Amino acid sequence: MRKADLLRREVERDASMQELFSELSETRFALAQAYDRFNAVCEPELVDSCVYEINAVLSRYNYLLRQIKARGGEAECRACTEGVATWG
């Protein structure tokens, strides 16, 4: 069984992981919107505002990715110790 399948199975069972992936998706959408606003503005003050917004959303996105990776590693490790998967 592949690692991705193990993680997917753990996500389906774990409501907190589902919430993290949902937040990650929302954050990805917010980041796309922030970049669109940045590309649409001309005033220097608005450009600065968009840069700050992009940096803030990127920070949140990176935080969520770290949380998912940390929990994913625990899920894979737990699955291996329970004998669910064989590595080979």
Side-chain angles (χ1 to χ4, degrees), residues 29-42:
F29 182 71
L31 186 59
Q33 288 181 321
Y35 277 118
D36 288 342
R37 277 190 293 280
F38 175 79
N39 290 327
V41 298
C42 296

Side-chain angles (χ1 to χ4, degrees), residues 24-34 57:
L24 185 69
S25 178
E26 292 169 7
T27 304
R28 187 179 301 143
F29 182 71
L31 186 59
Q33 288 181 321
V57 175

Side-chain angles (χ1 to χ4, degrees), residues 36-53:
D36 288 342
R37 277 190 293 280
F38 175 79
N39 290 327
V41 298
C42 296
E43 297 295 320
E45 295 86 9
L46 294 177
V47 170
D48 287 342
S49 171
C50 289
V51 169
Y52 288 124
E53 182 182 6

Side-chain angles (χ1 to χ4, degrees), residues 12-78:
E12 290 171 357
R13 285 188 247 162
D14 189 355
S16 63
M17 281 292 280
Q18 288 178 348
E19 181 66 26
L20 283 173
F21 276 105
S22 175
E23 286 184 48
L24 185 69
S25 178
E26 292 169 7
T27 304
R28 187 179 301 143
F29 182 71
L31 186 59
Q33 288 181 321
Y35 277 118
D36 288 342
R37 277 190 293 280
F38 175 79
N39 290 327
V41 298
C42 296
E43 297 295 320
E45 295 86 9
L46 294 177
V47 170
D48 287 342
S49 171
C50 289
V51 169
Y52 288 124
E53 182 182 6
I54 288 169
N55 285 334
V57 175
L58 276 174
S59 292
R60 177 158 182 77
Y61 186 81
N62 289 330
Y63 167 78
L64 291 169
L65 277 179
R66 283 192 307 272
Q67 293 298 309
I68 289 170
K69 287 179 181 180
R71 288 180 181 233
E74 291 172 8
E76 288 176 13
C77 183
R78 185 172 53 248

